[in-house]
Short mmCIF file of all heavy atoms in Angstrom, two decimals:
data_model
loop_
_atom_site.label_atom_id
_atom_site.label_comp_id
_atom_site.label_asym_id
_atom_site.label_seq_id
_atom_site.Cartn_x
_atom_site.Cartn_y
_atom_site.Cartn_z
N TRP A 1 -58.80 15.74 1.27
CA TRP A 1 -58.84 15.64 2.69
C TRP A 1 -57.89 16.60 3.41
O TRP A 1 -57.73 16.50 4.64
CB TRP A 1 -58.64 14.24 3.25
CG TRP A 1 -59.68 13.24 2.72
CD1 TRP A 1 -59.46 12.17 1.92
CD2 TRP A 1 -61.04 13.22 2.99
NE1 TRP A 1 -60.66 11.45 1.65
CE2 TRP A 1 -61.68 12.14 2.33
CE3 TRP A 1 -61.90 14.04 3.72
CZ2 TRP A 1 -62.96 11.80 2.37
CZ3 TRP A 1 -63.27 13.70 3.81
CH2 TRP A 1 -63.81 12.65 3.09
N VAL A 2 -57.31 17.49 2.66
CA VAL A 2 -56.38 18.47 3.22
C VAL A 2 -57.06 19.74 3.56
O VAL A 2 -57.70 20.38 2.61
CB VAL A 2 -55.10 18.69 2.33
CG1 VAL A 2 -54.24 19.80 2.88
CG2 VAL A 2 -54.35 17.39 2.20
N SER A 3 -57.09 20.20 4.77
CA SER A 3 -57.82 21.40 5.19
C SER A 3 -56.88 22.46 5.76
O SER A 3 -55.60 22.22 5.85
CB SER A 3 -58.88 21.05 6.24
OG SER A 3 -58.13 20.64 7.45
N GLY A 4 -57.44 23.56 6.17
CA GLY A 4 -56.62 24.58 6.79
C GLY A 4 -55.86 24.03 8.04
O GLY A 4 -54.74 24.48 8.31
N LYS A 5 -56.50 23.15 8.76
CA LYS A 5 -55.82 22.56 9.94
C LYS A 5 -54.48 21.87 9.51
O LYS A 5 -53.47 22.01 10.21
CB LYS A 5 -56.76 21.63 10.64
CG LYS A 5 -56.15 21.02 11.95
CD LYS A 5 -55.89 22.00 12.98
CE LYS A 5 -55.71 21.49 14.39
NZ LYS A 5 -56.98 20.95 15.00
N ASP A 6 -54.61 21.10 8.48
CA ASP A 6 -53.40 20.37 7.97
C ASP A 6 -52.34 21.29 7.52
O ASP A 6 -51.13 21.08 7.68
CB ASP A 6 -53.80 19.47 6.80
CG ASP A 6 -54.84 18.46 7.22
OD1 ASP A 6 -54.49 17.49 8.07
OD2 ASP A 6 -55.93 18.54 6.77
N ILE A 7 -52.74 22.46 6.85
CA ILE A 7 -51.80 23.42 6.40
C ILE A 7 -51.03 24.07 7.54
O ILE A 7 -49.80 24.17 7.51
CB ILE A 7 -52.42 24.47 5.49
CG1 ILE A 7 -53.13 23.82 4.28
CG2 ILE A 7 -51.45 25.58 5.02
CD1 ILE A 7 -54.06 24.75 3.52
N ILE A 8 -51.71 24.51 8.57
CA ILE A 8 -51.09 25.20 9.66
C ILE A 8 -50.28 24.23 10.49
O ILE A 8 -49.23 24.60 10.96
CB ILE A 8 -52.13 25.95 10.50
CG1 ILE A 8 -51.42 26.97 11.47
CG2 ILE A 8 -53.07 25.02 11.31
CD1 ILE A 8 -50.58 27.98 10.74
N LEU A 9 -50.69 22.94 10.63
CA LEU A 9 -49.86 22.00 11.35
C LEU A 9 -48.57 21.74 10.54
O LEU A 9 -47.44 21.65 11.15
CB LEU A 9 -50.64 20.69 11.50
CG LEU A 9 -51.69 20.67 12.63
CD1 LEU A 9 -52.45 19.37 12.66
CD2 LEU A 9 -51.16 21.01 14.02
N HIS A 10 -48.68 21.72 9.19
CA HIS A 10 -47.51 21.57 8.38
C HIS A 10 -46.57 22.73 8.61
O HIS A 10 -45.32 22.58 8.77
CB HIS A 10 -47.90 21.52 6.91
CG HIS A 10 -46.74 21.55 5.94
ND1 HIS A 10 -45.93 20.50 5.70
CD2 HIS A 10 -46.25 22.65 5.24
CE1 HIS A 10 -44.97 20.85 4.87
NE2 HIS A 10 -45.15 22.14 4.53
N ILE A 11 -47.07 23.96 8.66
CA ILE A 11 -46.23 25.13 8.85
C ILE A 11 -45.61 25.14 10.22
O ILE A 11 -44.38 25.40 10.33
CB ILE A 11 -47.07 26.41 8.60
CG1 ILE A 11 -47.48 26.56 7.15
CG2 ILE A 11 -46.33 27.67 9.09
CD1 ILE A 11 -48.41 27.69 6.87
N ILE A 12 -46.34 24.83 11.20
CA ILE A 12 -45.76 24.73 12.60
C ILE A 12 -44.74 23.70 12.63
O ILE A 12 -43.65 23.84 13.32
CB ILE A 12 -46.90 24.53 13.61
CG1 ILE A 12 -47.84 25.80 13.66
CG2 ILE A 12 -46.28 24.42 15.06
CD1 ILE A 12 -49.11 25.53 14.41
N GLY A 13 -44.98 22.53 12.04
CA GLY A 13 -43.98 21.49 12.02
C GLY A 13 -42.67 21.93 11.33
O GLY A 13 -41.57 21.54 11.66
N MET A 14 -42.84 22.79 10.37
CA MET A 14 -41.76 23.30 9.52
C MET A 14 -40.89 24.32 10.22
O MET A 14 -39.67 24.27 10.27
CB MET A 14 -42.27 23.85 8.20
CG MET A 14 -41.26 24.46 7.28
SD MET A 14 -41.97 24.91 5.75
CE MET A 14 -43.00 26.28 6.23
N ILE A 15 -41.59 25.30 10.96
CA ILE A 15 -40.81 26.46 11.57
C ILE A 15 -40.68 26.31 13.02
O ILE A 15 -39.84 26.98 13.67
CB ILE A 15 -41.49 27.80 11.17
CG1 ILE A 15 -42.81 27.95 11.83
CG2 ILE A 15 -41.53 27.91 9.67
CD1 ILE A 15 -43.43 29.35 11.65
N GLY A 16 -41.45 25.45 13.65
CA GLY A 16 -41.36 25.25 15.12
C GLY A 16 -42.30 26.10 15.91
O GLY A 16 -42.87 27.05 15.36
N VAL A 17 -42.45 25.79 17.17
CA VAL A 17 -43.44 26.53 18.00
C VAL A 17 -42.96 27.87 18.33
O VAL A 17 -43.75 28.70 18.96
CB VAL A 17 -43.80 25.73 19.31
CG1 VAL A 17 -44.58 24.45 18.99
CG2 VAL A 17 -42.54 25.39 20.11
N ASP A 18 -41.75 28.24 18.11
CA ASP A 18 -41.18 29.57 18.35
C ASP A 18 -40.70 30.14 17.03
O ASP A 18 -39.99 31.20 17.03
CB ASP A 18 -40.13 29.65 19.43
CG ASP A 18 -38.97 28.75 19.15
OD1 ASP A 18 -38.97 28.04 18.07
OD2 ASP A 18 -37.97 28.79 19.91
N GLY A 19 -41.06 29.58 15.88
CA GLY A 19 -40.53 29.96 14.67
C GLY A 19 -41.05 31.37 14.18
O GLY A 19 -40.38 32.01 13.34
N ALA A 20 -42.16 31.81 14.72
CA ALA A 20 -42.71 33.14 14.36
C ALA A 20 -42.80 34.05 15.59
O ALA A 20 -43.63 34.95 15.62
CB ALA A 20 -44.09 32.98 13.76
N LEU A 21 -41.91 33.80 16.54
CA LEU A 21 -42.03 34.49 17.82
C LEU A 21 -42.13 36.02 17.70
O LEU A 21 -41.23 36.69 17.07
CB LEU A 21 -40.79 34.16 18.64
CG LEU A 21 -40.89 34.60 20.14
CD1 LEU A 21 -41.99 33.86 20.87
CD2 LEU A 21 -39.55 34.26 20.87
N TYR A 22 -43.27 36.55 18.17
CA TYR A 22 -43.63 37.97 18.18
C TYR A 22 -43.54 38.56 16.73
O TYR A 22 -43.22 39.68 16.49
CB TYR A 22 -42.77 38.80 19.06
CG TYR A 22 -43.52 40.04 19.51
CD1 TYR A 22 -44.30 40.06 20.65
CD2 TYR A 22 -43.54 41.22 18.72
CE1 TYR A 22 -45.07 41.17 21.03
CE2 TYR A 22 -44.25 42.36 19.08
CZ TYR A 22 -45.02 42.36 20.23
OH TYR A 22 -45.79 43.43 20.59
N ARG A 23 -43.91 37.72 15.77
CA ARG A 23 -43.88 38.20 14.39
C ARG A 23 -45.29 37.96 13.77
O ARG A 23 -46.08 37.09 14.26
CB ARG A 23 -42.84 37.47 13.57
CG ARG A 23 -41.40 37.89 13.95
CD ARG A 23 -40.39 37.36 12.98
NE ARG A 23 -40.05 35.97 13.28
CZ ARG A 23 -39.16 35.29 12.61
NH1 ARG A 23 -38.42 35.85 11.67
NH2 ARG A 23 -38.95 34.00 12.92
N SER A 24 -45.62 38.72 12.79
CA SER A 24 -46.87 38.58 12.05
C SER A 24 -46.69 37.48 10.96
O SER A 24 -45.71 37.53 10.23
CB SER A 24 -47.24 39.92 11.41
OG SER A 24 -48.36 39.75 10.60
N MET A 25 -47.63 36.61 10.95
CA MET A 25 -47.61 35.55 9.94
C MET A 25 -48.62 35.93 8.81
O MET A 25 -49.82 35.95 9.09
CB MET A 25 -47.96 34.12 10.53
CG MET A 25 -47.06 33.67 11.62
SD MET A 25 -47.59 32.18 12.51
CE MET A 25 -47.37 30.96 11.17
N GLU A 26 -48.11 36.33 7.71
CA GLU A 26 -48.96 36.91 6.64
C GLU A 26 -49.10 35.96 5.52
O GLU A 26 -48.11 35.52 4.90
CB GLU A 26 -48.44 38.28 6.19
CG GLU A 26 -48.11 39.21 7.39
CD GLU A 26 -48.33 40.68 7.12
OE1 GLU A 26 -48.27 41.05 5.89
OE2 GLU A 26 -48.47 41.46 8.03
N PHE A 27 -50.38 35.58 5.20
CA PHE A 27 -50.71 34.57 4.20
C PHE A 27 -51.25 35.22 2.93
O PHE A 27 -52.20 35.99 3.00
CB PHE A 27 -51.74 33.59 4.76
CG PHE A 27 -51.27 32.88 6.05
CD1 PHE A 27 -51.67 33.29 7.30
CD2 PHE A 27 -50.40 31.76 5.94
CE1 PHE A 27 -51.27 32.68 8.44
CE2 PHE A 27 -49.98 31.17 7.11
CZ PHE A 27 -50.42 31.59 8.35
N MET A 28 -50.68 34.86 1.82
CA MET A 28 -51.13 35.31 0.57
C MET A 28 -50.77 34.34 -0.55
O MET A 28 -50.25 33.31 -0.29
CB MET A 28 -50.55 36.76 0.30
CG MET A 28 -48.98 36.74 0.37
SD MET A 28 -48.36 38.42 0.54
CE MET A 28 -48.57 38.67 2.34
N GLY A 29 -51.04 34.66 -1.81
CA GLY A 29 -50.69 33.83 -2.87
C GLY A 29 -51.87 33.26 -3.60
O GLY A 29 -53.03 33.26 -3.10
N ASP A 30 -51.69 32.65 -4.77
CA ASP A 30 -52.75 32.06 -5.59
C ASP A 30 -53.52 30.94 -4.92
O ASP A 30 -54.67 30.72 -5.17
CB ASP A 30 -52.22 31.59 -6.92
CG ASP A 30 -51.65 32.77 -7.83
OD1 ASP A 30 -52.07 33.94 -7.59
OD2 ASP A 30 -50.88 32.48 -8.72
N GLY A 31 -52.85 30.25 -3.99
CA GLY A 31 -53.54 29.14 -3.31
C GLY A 31 -54.55 29.54 -2.34
O GLY A 31 -55.42 28.68 -1.97
N VAL A 32 -54.56 30.81 -1.90
CA VAL A 32 -55.55 31.27 -0.94
C VAL A 32 -56.99 31.14 -1.53
O VAL A 32 -57.93 30.85 -0.78
CB VAL A 32 -55.29 32.80 -0.57
CG1 VAL A 32 -56.47 33.36 0.27
CG2 VAL A 32 -53.98 32.84 0.17
N GLN A 33 -57.13 31.21 -2.81
CA GLN A 33 -58.49 31.16 -3.40
C GLN A 33 -59.16 29.78 -3.15
O GLN A 33 -60.40 29.69 -3.21
CB GLN A 33 -58.38 31.38 -4.87
CG GLN A 33 -57.62 30.33 -5.65
CD GLN A 33 -57.50 30.60 -7.18
OE1 GLN A 33 -58.51 30.73 -7.87
NE2 GLN A 33 -56.27 30.68 -7.65
N TYR A 34 -58.33 28.77 -2.88
CA TYR A 34 -58.91 27.43 -2.66
C TYR A 34 -59.15 27.15 -1.15
O TYR A 34 -59.65 26.09 -0.80
CB TYR A 34 -57.93 26.40 -3.17
CG TYR A 34 -57.59 26.55 -4.63
CD1 TYR A 34 -56.36 26.94 -5.05
CD2 TYR A 34 -58.63 26.29 -5.58
CE1 TYR A 34 -56.06 27.06 -6.41
CE2 TYR A 34 -58.31 26.38 -6.95
CZ TYR A 34 -57.10 26.78 -7.29
OH TYR A 34 -56.80 26.90 -8.67
N LEU A 35 -58.98 28.14 -0.32
CA LEU A 35 -59.21 27.99 1.09
C LEU A 35 -60.50 28.68 1.50
O LEU A 35 -60.74 29.87 1.27
CB LEU A 35 -58.06 28.57 1.87
CG LEU A 35 -56.64 28.02 1.61
CD1 LEU A 35 -55.61 28.70 2.49
CD2 LEU A 35 -56.68 26.49 1.85
N SER A 36 -61.37 27.94 2.13
CA SER A 36 -62.67 28.53 2.65
C SER A 36 -62.37 29.43 3.83
O SER A 36 -61.24 29.41 4.35
CB SER A 36 -63.61 27.40 3.09
OG SER A 36 -63.02 26.72 4.27
N MET A 37 -63.34 30.16 4.24
CA MET A 37 -63.13 31.09 5.41
C MET A 37 -62.91 30.18 6.64
O MET A 37 -62.09 30.56 7.48
CB MET A 37 -64.37 31.95 5.61
CG MET A 37 -64.55 33.08 4.60
SD MET A 37 -63.06 34.08 4.43
CE MET A 37 -62.80 34.66 6.10
N ASP A 38 -63.54 29.00 6.69
CA ASP A 38 -63.32 28.18 7.84
C ASP A 38 -61.91 27.60 7.89
O ASP A 38 -61.29 27.48 8.91
CB ASP A 38 -64.30 26.90 7.80
CG ASP A 38 -65.73 27.39 8.14
OD1 ASP A 38 -65.90 28.54 8.49
OD2 ASP A 38 -66.59 26.53 8.14
N ASP A 39 -61.38 27.35 6.65
CA ASP A 39 -59.92 26.96 6.55
C ASP A 39 -58.98 28.10 7.10
O ASP A 39 -58.05 27.93 7.88
CB ASP A 39 -59.50 26.72 5.18
CG ASP A 39 -60.00 25.35 4.63
OD1 ASP A 39 -60.03 24.39 5.39
OD2 ASP A 39 -60.30 25.30 3.43
N ARG A 40 -59.32 29.32 6.71
CA ARG A 40 -58.53 30.46 7.06
C ARG A 40 -58.60 30.79 8.54
O ARG A 40 -57.59 31.09 9.23
CB ARG A 40 -58.91 31.68 6.26
CG ARG A 40 -58.82 31.49 4.73
CD ARG A 40 -59.29 32.68 3.98
NE ARG A 40 -59.53 32.31 2.58
CZ ARG A 40 -59.80 33.21 1.60
NH1 ARG A 40 -59.88 34.54 1.91
NH2 ARG A 40 -60.03 32.76 0.38
N PHE A 41 -59.84 30.67 9.12
CA PHE A 41 -59.97 30.86 10.59
C PHE A 41 -59.11 29.78 11.33
O PHE A 41 -58.52 30.15 12.36
CB PHE A 41 -61.49 30.74 11.02
CG PHE A 41 -62.30 31.90 10.65
CD1 PHE A 41 -63.48 31.79 9.92
CD2 PHE A 41 -61.94 33.16 11.10
CE1 PHE A 41 -64.25 32.83 9.64
CE2 PHE A 41 -62.74 34.29 10.83
CZ PHE A 41 -63.91 34.10 10.06
N ALA A 42 -59.11 28.56 10.92
CA ALA A 42 -58.32 27.52 11.58
C ALA A 42 -56.87 27.88 11.50
O ALA A 42 -56.08 27.68 12.49
CB ALA A 42 -58.55 26.14 10.90
N MET A 43 -56.40 28.43 10.45
CA MET A 43 -54.96 28.74 10.27
C MET A 43 -54.51 29.93 11.14
O MET A 43 -53.48 29.84 11.83
CB MET A 43 -54.64 29.00 8.77
CG MET A 43 -54.74 27.78 7.93
SD MET A 43 -54.49 28.09 6.18
CE MET A 43 -52.77 28.64 6.17
N THR A 44 -55.30 30.99 11.13
CA THR A 44 -54.90 32.15 11.91
C THR A 44 -55.10 31.86 13.39
O THR A 44 -54.36 32.41 14.21
CB THR A 44 -55.69 33.44 11.52
OG1 THR A 44 -57.07 33.09 11.51
CG2 THR A 44 -55.31 33.92 10.11
N ASN A 45 -56.06 31.02 13.69
CA ASN A 45 -56.29 30.68 15.09
C ASN A 45 -54.99 30.01 15.73
O ASN A 45 -54.73 30.32 16.92
CB ASN A 45 -57.42 29.58 15.10
CG ASN A 45 -57.66 28.99 16.50
OD1 ASN A 45 -57.04 27.99 16.87
ND2 ASN A 45 -58.49 29.62 17.27
N MET A 46 -54.25 29.28 14.91
CA MET A 46 -53.08 28.60 15.39
C MET A 46 -51.80 29.34 15.17
O MET A 46 -50.68 28.75 15.40
CB MET A 46 -53.04 27.21 14.88
CG MET A 46 -54.10 26.24 15.47
SD MET A 46 -53.89 24.49 15.05
CE MET A 46 -52.39 24.12 16.04
N ALA A 47 -51.86 30.60 14.75
CA ALA A 47 -50.60 31.40 14.61
C ALA A 47 -49.93 31.47 15.91
O ALA A 47 -48.63 31.41 15.95
CB ALA A 47 -50.93 32.74 14.08
#
């Protein structure tokens, strides 16, 4: 039941709403293969 939405909320909860201020959030790693395109759209949407 863990989706891209849960991942990005976790990240925002971890770094804060200004944690990436004017920075590029770049996602990579072996775990990406388990994320659907819809998961990825949800995550970049909330950068």
Side-chain angles (χ1 to χ4, degrees):
W1 299 116
V2 174
S3 67
K5 182 63 163 291
D6 300 291
I7 300 167
I8 194 63
L9 286 177
H10 171 80
I11 289 172
I12 296 168
M14 180 176 65
I15 68 174
V17 293
D18 58 356
L21 192 62
Y22 207 91
R23 292 188 282 183
S24 174
M25 300 174 69
E26 306 212 341
F27 301 99
M28 57 198 80
D30 293 340
V32 170
Q33 65 182 301
Y34 301 112
L35 302 180
S36 68
M37 288 306 304
D38 288 358
D39 284 325
R40 301 178 198 189
F41 283 127
M43 290 176 66
T44 51
N45 175 271
M46 289 190 68

